[in-house]
Amino acid sequence: MPLSVSLSIEGDTTVIELSGELDAKTAPDFHRTIEKAAGHGTTIVEIRMAGVGYMASAGLRSLVFAQQKIADHVTIKVVGAIEPVSRTIRTAGLDRSIVLSDE
Amino acid sequence: MVELARTPSVLEVPATVQALGDIAAFVLRLAGRAGLGKRAAYRLRLAVDELATNVVMHGYRGGDGRITVRGRSGPGGVQITIEDSAPAFDPVAGRLPPCPGVPPQDRRIGGLGIHLALTSVDEFAYAHRDGRNISTLTVKAEGTDPCPPRP
């Protein structure tokens, strides 16, 4: 299943909305969007993942990349991830530096 | 002990990123046949996807190769065998657990896939025979394993 990625700015938040499946084949699209988001200069980057039905470690690599690419003072939020996806994020320990939120 | 069909279903694909979708569809069909719940089916797909992705990206190092996936399903779960002829690689020995204490800027990117795979399955075994890597993994139907894996 393909991945759909959109990027927008809402006030001081850069919003990345993902829908579909995030795996080795589709993660490069997410990666490119993170690079664009890093240049926006907002204080929050919110990654909306409610529409992501599957995420492999390639998605985790993208989230680590986001942490490295986006400035330290910018908060990265992952919003609405389904339980298996948020479990994968926690398994990697990324919930210590990324804000995981249900809504 | 999971009760499984005697004859496995077999899928052989080129070791490419594009073929990973075919492997996922094959695995999900077996999960459906076994009546696995959503969580168990997700764990099975994730484990096979990660191991197969590792073979594509690192095993054959971008060169030509093939991956054979055999699957047997039964009322209690699914057993999958992944075979390739890339250089010998034991996933258990090559596992890289996450390091939550490492600051984001110092984290290595990658290395987590095998850890995810091994923590997603109920049983795992590796063998190297006749020049082939053979990984066998089992995911049981939820509620049948007294010690399910912990994230």
Side-chain angles (χ1 to χ4, degrees):
Chain A
M1 190 177 171
L3 181 75
S4 131
V5 188
S6 69
L7 181 65
S8 59
I9 294 183
E10 296 178 8
D12 65 348
T13 303
T14 298
V15 177
I16 299 173
E17 184 143 13
L18 303 174
S19 181
E21 297 190 341
L22 193 45
D23 56 18
K25 190 178 170 188
T26 60
D29 291 341
F30 182 29
H31 229 68
R32 282 190 286 274
T33 307
I34 288 167
E35 285 190 312
K36 287 183 197 161
H40 279 183
T42 52
T43 56
I44 299 169
V45 172
E46 185 171 300
I47 302 165
R48 295 180 184 165
M49 295 187 77
V52 174
Y54 175 75
M55 184 180 77
S57 64
L60 290 178
R61 281 195 290 279
S62 296
L63 291 174
V64 172
F65 175 73
Q67 289 180 299
Q68 294 175 344
K69 194 81 183 169
I70 293 167
D72 286 346
H73 62 274
V74 175
T75 302
I76 301 175
K77 288 184 181 175
V78 168
V79 177
I82 62 172
E83 193 271 338
V85 171
S86 59
R87 190 176 65 236
T88 300
I89 292 170
R90 285 196 301 273
T91 300
L94 296 184
D95 56 322
R96 296 192 182 195
S97 44
I98 287 176
V99 178
L100 269 181
S101 163
D102 289 339
E103 54 183 58
Chain B
M1 190 72 179
V2 179
E3 193 183 324
L4 299 166
R6 283 177 185 275
T7 311
S9 301
V10 182
L11 175 74
E12 190 182 319
V13 292
T16 61
V17 169
Q18 285 70 27
L20 296 172
D22 295 336
I23 294 175
F26 174 81
V27 167
L28 289 175
R29 268 200 304 278
L30 282 162
R33 210 179 292 164
L36 289 192
K38 277 185 182 175
R39 285 166 56 103
Y42 192 103
R43 290 197 284 120
L44 178 70
R45 177 189 177 178
L46 181 63
V48 176
D49 187 19
E50 294 295 349
L51 292 169
T53 300
N54 198 62
V55 173
V56 172
M57 302 290 199
H58 306 295
Y60 289 115
R61 297 187 173 89
D64 288 342
R66 299 193 73 78
I67 299 175
T68 304
V69 185
R70 299 176 208 278
R72 296 192 299 150
S73 61
V78 177
Q79 186 176 74
I80 302 277
T81 302
I82 302 167
E83 293 185 30
D84 64 81
S85 49
F89 174 74
D90 178 352
V92 176
R95 179 182 196 172
L96 289 171
C99 304
V102 176
Q105 65 273 19
D106 297 333
R107 277 176 190 264
R108 58 175 179 262
I109 294 184
L112 287 167
I114 298 296
H115 177 75
L116 267 186
L118 298 182
T119 52
S120 293
V121 298
D122 295 306
E123 293 168 9
F124 181 83
Y126 168 80
H128 191 254
R129 275 199 301 272
D130 302 326
R132 290 174 73 76
N133 294 294
I134 305 167
S135 289
T136 303
L137 53 93
T138 304
V139 167
K140 298 175 183 175
E142 302 279 353
T144 61
D145 185 1
C147 300
R150 296 181 189 284

Short mmCIF file of all heavy atoms in Angstrom, two decimals, chain B residues 4-40:
data_model
loop_
_atom_site.label_atom_id
_atom_site.label_comp_id
_atom_site.label_asym_id
_atom_site.label_seq_id
_atom_site.Cartn_x
_atom_site.Cartn_y
_atom_site.Cartn_z
N LEU B 4 0.21 -27.33 12.75
CA LEU B 4 0.37 -26.67 11.45
C LEU B 4 0.05 -27.61 10.30
O LEU B 4 0.13 -28.83 10.45
CB LEU B 4 1.83 -26.19 11.30
CG LEU B 4 2.32 -25.18 12.34
CD1 LEU B 4 3.82 -25.07 12.29
CD2 LEU B 4 1.67 -23.83 12.11
N ALA B 5 -0.25 -27.01 9.16
CA ALA B 5 -0.48 -27.81 7.95
C ALA B 5 0.80 -28.56 7.59
O ALA B 5 1.90 -28.08 7.83
CB ALA B 5 -0.89 -26.90 6.81
N ARG B 6 0.67 -29.77 7.02
CA ARG B 6 1.86 -30.56 6.67
C ARG B 6 2.61 -29.94 5.48
O ARG B 6 3.82 -29.93 5.44
CB ARG B 6 1.44 -31.99 6.30
CG ARG B 6 1.12 -32.83 7.50
CD ARG B 6 0.62 -34.22 7.07
NE ARG B 6 0.20 -34.99 8.22
CZ ARG B 6 1.01 -35.71 8.97
NH1 ARG B 6 2.29 -35.75 8.71
NH2 ARG B 6 0.57 -36.38 10.01
N THR B 7 1.87 -29.45 4.50
CA THR B 7 2.49 -28.95 3.28
C THR B 7 2.59 -27.43 3.33
O THR B 7 1.58 -26.75 3.50
CB THR B 7 1.66 -29.35 2.05
OG1 THR B 7 1.37 -30.75 2.15
CG2 THR B 7 2.41 -29.06 0.77
N PRO B 8 3.81 -26.90 3.19
CA PRO B 8 3.93 -25.44 3.26
C PRO B 8 3.50 -24.76 1.95
O PRO B 8 3.59 -25.35 0.88
CB PRO B 8 5.43 -25.23 3.49
CG PRO B 8 6.08 -26.44 2.91
CD PRO B 8 5.11 -27.57 3.04
N SER B 9 3.04 -23.52 2.07
CA SER B 9 2.88 -22.66 0.91
C SER B 9 4.25 -22.05 0.64
O SER B 9 4.99 -21.76 1.59
CB SER B 9 1.88 -21.54 1.19
OG SER B 9 0.64 -22.08 1.54
N VAL B 10 4.59 -21.84 -0.61
CA VAL B 10 5.92 -21.34 -0.95
C VAL B 10 5.83 -20.11 -1.84
O VAL B 10 5.03 -20.07 -2.78
CB VAL B 10 6.75 -22.44 -1.66
CG1 VAL B 10 8.17 -21.92 -1.95
CG2 VAL B 10 6.82 -23.70 -0.83
N LEU B 11 6.65 -19.12 -1.54
CA LEU B 11 6.78 -17.93 -2.37
C LEU B 11 8.26 -17.70 -2.62
O LEU B 11 9.05 -17.66 -1.68
CB LEU B 11 6.18 -16.71 -1.65
CG LEU B 11 6.36 -15.36 -2.35
CD1 LEU B 11 5.43 -15.25 -3.56
CD2 LEU B 11 6.08 -14.21 -1.38
N GLU B 12 8.64 -17.56 -3.89
CA GLU B 12 10.03 -17.22 -4.18
C GLU B 12 10.04 -15.92 -4.96
O GLU B 12 9.33 -15.77 -5.95
CB GLU B 12 10.71 -18.33 -4.99
CG GLU B 12 12.21 -18.08 -5.06
CD GLU B 12 12.96 -19.11 -5.88
OE1 GLU B 12 12.64 -20.29 -5.75
OE2 GLU B 12 13.85 -18.70 -6.65
N VAL B 13 10.83 -14.97 -4.47
CA VAL B 13 10.85 -13.64 -5.09
C VAL B 13 12.29 -13.15 -5.25
O VAL B 13 13.19 -13.61 -4.53
CB VAL B 13 10.08 -12.60 -4.22
CG1 VAL B 13 8.59 -12.89 -4.21
CG2 VAL B 13 10.63 -12.57 -2.80
N PRO B 14 12.52 -12.22 -6.17
CA PRO B 14 13.85 -11.59 -6.21
C PRO B 14 14.06 -10.74 -4.96
O PRO B 14 13.10 -10.23 -4.39
CB PRO B 14 13.79 -10.71 -7.48
CG PRO B 14 12.34 -10.51 -7.75
CD PRO B 14 11.61 -11.69 -7.19
N ALA B 15 15.31 -10.63 -4.52
CA ALA B 15 15.60 -9.87 -3.31
C ALA B 15 15.63 -8.38 -3.65
O ALA B 15 16.70 -7.78 -3.81
CB ALA B 15 16.93 -10.33 -2.71
N THR B 16 14.44 -7.80 -3.77
CA THR B 16 14.31 -6.37 -4.07
C THR B 16 13.32 -5.73 -3.10
O THR B 16 12.47 -6.43 -2.53
CB THR B 16 13.78 -6.15 -5.50
OG1 THR B 16 12.48 -6.74 -5.58
CG2 THR B 16 14.69 -6.78 -6.54
N VAL B 17 13.43 -4.43 -2.96
CA VAL B 17 12.49 -3.70 -2.09
C VAL B 17 11.06 -3.86 -2.63
O VAL B 17 10.11 -3.98 -1.87
CB VAL B 17 12.90 -2.21 -2.01
CG1 VAL B 17 11.81 -1.39 -1.36
CG2 VAL B 17 14.20 -2.07 -1.22
N GLN B 18 10.93 -3.89 -3.96
CA GLN B 18 9.60 -4.02 -4.56
C GLN B 18 8.93 -5.34 -4.17
O GLN B 18 7.70 -5.41 -4.04
CB GLN B 18 9.69 -3.94 -6.09
CG GLN B 18 9.92 -2.54 -6.64
CD GLN B 18 11.32 -2.00 -6.34
OE1 GLN B 18 12.27 -2.76 -6.17
NE2 GLN B 18 11.43 -0.69 -6.22
N ALA B 19 9.72 -6.39 -3.99
CA ALA B 19 9.15 -7.71 -3.69
C ALA B 19 8.67 -7.82 -2.24
O ALA B 19 7.95 -8.76 -1.89
CB ALA B 19 10.18 -8.80 -3.97
N LEU B 20 9.04 -6.85 -1.39
CA LEU B 20 8.65 -6.93 0.02
C LEU B 20 7.12 -6.89 0.18
O LEU B 20 6.57 -7.49 1.09
CB LEU B 20 9.30 -5.80 0.83
CG LEU B 20 10.83 -5.86 0.90
CD1 LEU B 20 11.39 -4.58 1.54
CD2 LEU B 20 11.30 -7.08 1.68
N GLY B 21 6.45 -6.19 -0.73
CA GLY B 21 4.99 -6.14 -0.70
C GLY B 21 4.37 -7.50 -0.99
O GLY B 21 3.36 -7.88 -0.37
N ASP B 22 4.98 -8.25 -1.91
CA ASP B 22 4.49 -9.60 -2.22
C ASP B 22 4.66 -10.51 -1.00
O ASP B 22 3.81 -11.34 -0.70
CB ASP B 22 5.27 -10.20 -3.40
CG ASP B 22 5.04 -9.43 -4.69
OD1 ASP B 22 3.98 -8.77 -4.80
OD2 ASP B 22 5.92 -9.47 -5.57
N ILE B 23 5.79 -10.34 -0.31
CA ILE B 23 6.04 -11.16 0.89
C ILE B 23 5.00 -10.83 1.97
O ILE B 23 4.43 -11.72 2.60
CB ILE B 23 7.47 -10.95 1.42
CG1 ILE B 23 8.49 -11.49 0.40
CG2 ILE B 23 7.66 -11.62 2.77
CD1 ILE B 23 9.95 -11.22 0.74
N ALA B 24 4.72 -9.53 2.15
CA ALA B 24 3.74 -9.11 3.16
C ALA B 24 2.36 -9.70 2.84
O ALA B 24 1.67 -10.20 3.73
CB ALA B 24 3.67 -7.59 3.23
N ALA B 25 1.97 -9.65 1.56
CA ALA B 25 0.65 -10.17 1.17
C ALA B 25 0.58 -11.68 1.43
O ALA B 25 -0.43 -12.20 1.92
CB ALA B 25 0.39 -9.86 -0.30
N PHE B 26 1.67 -12.39 1.11
CA PHE B 26 1.76 -13.84 1.33
C PHE B 26 1.59 -14.16 2.82
O PHE B 26 0.82 -15.04 3.22
CB PHE B 26 3.12 -14.31 0.80
CG PHE B 26 3.45 -15.75 1.05
CD1 PHE B 26 2.93 -16.75 0.24
CD2 PHE B 26 4.31 -16.11 2.08
CE1 PHE B 26 3.26 -18.09 0.46
CE2 PHE B 26 4.65 -17.45 2.31
CZ PHE B 26 4.12 -18.43 1.50
N VAL B 27 2.31 -13.40 3.67
CA VAL B 27 2.28 -13.64 5.11
C VAL B 27 0.89 -13.33 5.69
O VAL B 27 0.36 -14.08 6.51
CB VAL B 27 3.36 -12.77 5.80
CG1 VAL B 27 3.18 -12.74 7.30
CG2 VAL B 27 4.75 -13.30 5.45
N LEU B 28 0.29 -12.25 5.22
CA LEU B 28 -1.03 -11.88 5.75
C LEU B 28 -2.10 -12.90 5.34
O LEU B 28 -3.06 -13.14 6.07
CB LEU B 28 -1.41 -10.46 5.30
CG LEU B 28 -0.59 -9.36 5.99
CD1 LEU B 28 -0.91 -7.98 5.41
CD2 LEU B 28 -0.82 -9.35 7.51
N ARG B 29 -1.93 -13.50 4.13
CA ARG B 29 -2.86 -14.56 3.71
C ARG B 29 -2.77 -15.75 4.67
O ARG B 29 -3.77 -16.31 5.08
CB ARG B 29 -2.55 -15.01 2.29
CG ARG B 29 -3.33 -14.26 1.20
CD ARG B 29 -3.36 -15.04 -0.11
NE ARG B 29 -2.05 -15.39 -0.61
CZ ARG B 29 -1.27 -14.56 -1.30
NH1 ARG B 29 -1.66 -13.33 -1.56
NH2 ARG B 29 -0.09 -14.95 -1.74
N LEU B 30 -1.54 -16.11 5.01
CA LEU B 30 -1.35 -17.23 5.95
C LEU B 30 -1.93 -16.90 7.33
O LEU B 30 -2.53 -17.74 7.99
CB LEU B 30 0.14 -17.56 6.09
CG LEU B 30 0.73 -18.36 4.93
CD1 LEU B 30 2.24 -18.25 4.94
CD2 LEU B 30 0.33 -19.82 5.02
N ALA B 31 -1.72 -15.64 7.75
CA ALA B 31 -2.26 -15.21 9.05
C ALA B 31 -3.79 -15.31 9.05
O ALA B 31 -4.39 -15.75 10.03
CB ALA B 31 -1.82 -13.78 9.35
N GLY B 32 -4.39 -14.91 7.92
CA GLY B 32 -5.85 -14.99 7.80
C GLY B 32 -6.32 -16.43 7.83
O GLY B 32 -7.32 -16.76 8.47
N ARG B 33 -5.57 -17.31 7.14
CA ARG B 33 -5.93 -18.73 7.09
C ARG B 33 -5.86 -19.35 8.49
O ARG B 33 -6.64 -20.22 8.83
CB ARG B 33 -4.97 -19.45 6.13
CG ARG B 33 -5.57 -20.63 5.43
CD ARG B 33 -4.57 -21.27 4.50
NE ARG B 33 -4.23 -20.42 3.36
CZ ARG B 33 -3.17 -20.62 2.58
NH1 ARG B 33 -2.34 -21.62 2.82
NH2 ARG B 33 -2.93 -19.83 1.56
N ALA B 34 -4.90 -18.87 9.29
CA ALA B 34 -4.75 -19.41 10.65
C ALA B 34 -5.73 -18.76 11.62
O ALA B 34 -5.83 -19.19 12.77
CB ALA B 34 -3.32 -19.17 11.13
N GLY B 35 -6.43 -17.72 11.17
CA GLY B 35 -7.35 -17.03 12.06
C GLY B 35 -6.64 -16.20 13.12
O GLY B 35 -7.20 -15.95 14.19
N LEU B 36 -5.42 -15.74 12.81
CA LEU B 36 -4.71 -14.89 13.78
C LEU B 36 -5.46 -13.58 13.98
O LEU B 36 -6.02 -13.02 13.04
CB LEU B 36 -3.29 -14.55 13.28
CG LEU B 36 -2.23 -15.63 13.24
CD1 LEU B 36 -0.86 -14.99 13.00
CD2 LEU B 36 -2.20 -16.45 14.50
N GLY B 37 -5.44 -13.06 15.19
CA GLY B 37 -6.03 -11.76 15.47
C GLY B 37 -5.17 -10.66 14.86
O GLY B 37 -4.06 -10.92 14.38
N LYS B 38 -5.67 -9.42 14.93
CA LYS B 38 -4.96 -8.29 14.31
C LYS B 38 -3.56 -8.11 14.88
O LYS B 38 -2.60 -7.87 14.16
CB LYS B 38 -5.75 -7.00 14.54
CG LYS B 38 -6.86 -6.78 13.53
CD LYS B 38 -7.49 -5.42 13.77
CE LYS B 38 -8.64 -5.21 12.79
NZ LYS B 38 -9.35 -3.94 13.07
N ARG B 39 -3.44 -8.21 16.21
CA ARG B 39 -2.13 -7.97 16.85
C ARG B 39 -1.12 -9.02 16.43
O ARG B 39 0.02 -8.70 16.10
CB ARG B 39 -2.28 -7.97 18.37
CG ARG B 39 -2.92 -6.71 18.93
CD ARG B 39 -3.35 -6.94 20.37
NE ARG B 39 -2.23 -7.38 21.20
CZ ARG B 39 -1.59 -6.59 22.04
NH1 ARG B 39 -1.95 -5.33 22.16
NH2 ARG B 39 -0.60 -7.04 22.76
N ALA B 40 -1.54 -10.30 16.45
CA ALA B 40 -0.62 -11.38 16.09
C ALA B 40 -0.25 -11.29 14.61
O ALA B 40 0.91 -11.50 14.23
CB ALA B 40 -1.23 -12.73 16.42
#
